[in-house]
Amino acid sequence: MKRLFLLLALCLTLFATAQEKFTVYFDFDIDEANNPSAVSLSAWINTHKDIEIQKIYGYADSIGNALYNQNLSERRAMHVYEKLKEGGLDVANTEEKGFGESESFAADRAMDRKVVLYFRQKPIVVVKKPEPVVTELTKKMNEAVKGDKIVVPKLYFYDNSDIVLPESRPVLYELLTIMKNNPNLRIDIQGHICCQKIETNQISQKRALAVYAFLKNNGIDRMRLSYQSFGSSRPVYPLPEKSEEEKTANRRVEIEIVAN
């Protein structure tokens, strides 16, 4: 319990020392800063753009009616609030309040005609650099050795076509990035189809060629690339497939690592 109390006391001490204040003075019965304070406030605003203003508290001396002095202290606080806002400081969450003559204790009453700003330096926000996202394809390609075969995930084409669906374009660019980042990598692009034992329109070859052409046209040396097709001769699941999932698994483009 004693340790908890000491820890709480330390936290309060650190908070208290972190909070600073600045005082603006006013002439008798006036709700605008006097000339010396107006100049000082303007200079202060220009050199404190990165602070957090927590409170703006207005005060008055004890001369005159207490209710009037309460209103006067509020107008003084509002005056400073507007000056800070005009100067570009963030006062959206600032507590702005008048205390009238409730704290009028100074021997020199001029010292009671004031507004006190409580502020602190904005906390330093450390933004942690996000870890690079390693996708399934990149992870498998980085771990692969010569002879490994990797299915290119989520690479879809229009039905009976070698045109890649728009949502699959990022997969091609990911493969392109892998090739650029690994200049010794050589691959063989292999096309496969589903659903029919005899291929009639060479669609698997056209799809493998489409991937080959994309990489070559985007700067990958053709000597690092080759392509071929296997139709339905190497299915993941035997034909005829029993489900749409099995058809999707058979309808694929694979990458074989030739050298890395």
Side-chain angles (χ1 to χ4, degrees):
M1 186 68 178
K2 184 177 179 181
R3 291 181 62 185
L4 181 61
F5 176 78
L6 290 174
L7 181 61
L8 180 59
L10 177 61
C11 290
L12 290 174
T13 302
L14 290 173
F15 179 80
T17 54
Q19 190 180 56
E20 301 177 72
K21 63 182 181 179
F22 178 81
T23 304
V24 181
Y25 292 100
F26 297 75
D27 290 334
F28 175 72
D29 200 24
I30 300 296
D31 59 9
E32 295 184 2
N34 59 33
N35 286 336
S37 274
V39 173
S40 179
L41 177 60
S42 179
W44 185 86
I45 290 172
N46 289 333
T47 56
H48 290 76
K49 296 294 186 180
D50 295 324
I51 62 168
E52 179 182 310
I53 301 175
Q54 299 169 298
K55 305 171 188 174
I56 304 173
Y57 286 173
Y59 302 91
D61 60 31
S62 58
I63 301 174
N65 180 274
L67 185 61
Y68 178 84
N69 287 336
Q70 175 64 35
N71 180 267
L72 179 60
S73 69
E74 291 171 359
R75 297 201 314 269
R76 286 171 173 170
M78 180 56 69
H79 166 76
V80 174
Y81 175 94
E82 292 296 337
K83 289 296 181 183
L84 297 173
K85 188 176 178 180
E86 290 172 10
L89 273 64
D90 183 6
V91 290
N93 298 314
T94 301
E95 180 186 5
E96 182 259 323
K97 190 174 181 180
F99 288 88
E101 60 185 58
S102 62
E103 296 187 22
S104 180
F105 306 124
D108 180 358
R109 287 176 173 169
M111 304 302 290
D112 291 329
R113 305 167 195 141
K114 64 186 179 183
V115 167
V116 181
L117 304 175
Y118 294 90
F119 66 95
R120 67 177 179 180
Q121 296 297 321
K122 288 183 178 179
I124 298 174
V125 179
V126 179
V127 180
K128 184 179 179 182
K129 185 178 180 180
E131 294 293 331
V133 177
V134 180
T135 64
E136 179 185 352
L137 178 60
T138 299
K139 184 175 185 297
K140 288 182 176 180
M141 293 286 281
N142 288 342
E143 295 173 350
V145 297
K146 181 179 178 180
D148 284 352
K149 292 182 180 179
I150 301 161
V151 176
V152 181
K154 299 180 181 178
L155 180 57
Y156 303 127
F157 298 81
Y158 284 102
D159 186 38
N160 202 33
S161 168
D162 59 352
I163 301 175
V164 175
L165 290 175
E167 58 265 34
S168 291
R169 297 287 292 179
V171 180
L172 290 180
Y173 281 101
E174 182 183 358
L175 180 58
L176 176 64
T177 299
I178 293 169
M179 296 297 294
K180 287 183 176 180
N181 290 342
N182 298 274
N184 295 323
L185 181 60
R186 292 168 53 203
I187 62 173
D188 184 50
I189 304 160
Q190 302 174 356
H192 303 266
I193 63 167
C194 73
C195 311
Q196 51 186 307
K197 291 185 178 181
I198 299 176
E199 187 177 21
T200 57
N201 57 0
Q202 296 186 309
I203 193 66
S204 62
Q205 180 176 346
K206 291 177 181 178
R207 287 174 176 175
L209 176 59
V211 176
Y212 169 92
F214 172 83
L215 295 173
K216 183 172 70 70
N217 293 339
N218 282 278
I220 303 302
D221 188 341
R222 64 182 180 84
M223 299 302 294
R224 298 172 58 197
L225 306 169
S226 60
Y227 69 93
Q228 58 182 314
S229 63
F230 294 97
S232 59
S233 64
R234 297 185 180 182
V236 177
Y237 295 98
L239 277 62
E241 296 90 349
K242 297 181 175 62
S243 66
E244 190 60 39
E245 288 74 17
E246 290 188 358
K247 291 179 182 179
T248 299
N250 285 345
R251 187 193 307 124
R252 68 197 187 280
V253 172
E254 289 181 334
I255 301 295
E256 180 173 350
I257 306 300
V258 177
N260 57 358

